[in-house]
Amino acid sequence: MNTFMAIMSQLFWGVTIGALGAAFETLAKGAIMIGGIGGAGWYGLKWRRDRRNRDKRD
């Protein structure tokens, strides 16, 4: 019975750690994607504002 419980315990922890790892990976990928899209949008707005200001000066 002790062997069975040891196997079940290892299986439980393996599944738990696997699920937590997958959840963290998904959240990390989402954060990187949101950061990338936000950064690209910020850079686009900055570029457009600078271009507009440069055109007004000329």
Side-chain angles (χ1 to χ4, degrees), residues 2-56:
N2 287 338
T3 304
F4 175 74
M5 291 304 292
I7 292 170
M8 292 304 291
S9 176
Q10 288 178 350
L11 182 63
F12 171 77
W13 281 110
V15 169
T16 302
I17 296 302
L20 288 174
F24 177 74
E25 181 183 353
T26 302
L27 290 174
K29 283 182 180 179
I32 290 170
M33 187 175 67
I34 289 171
I37 291 171
W42 173 81
Y43 183 76
L45 289 174
K46 180 180 177 296
W47 179 80
R48 197 174 306 150
R49 185 180 60 226
D50 290 345
R51 185 173 153 201
R52 187 175 46 216
N53 290 338
R54 187 174 52 236
D55 289 345
K56 283 182 181 178

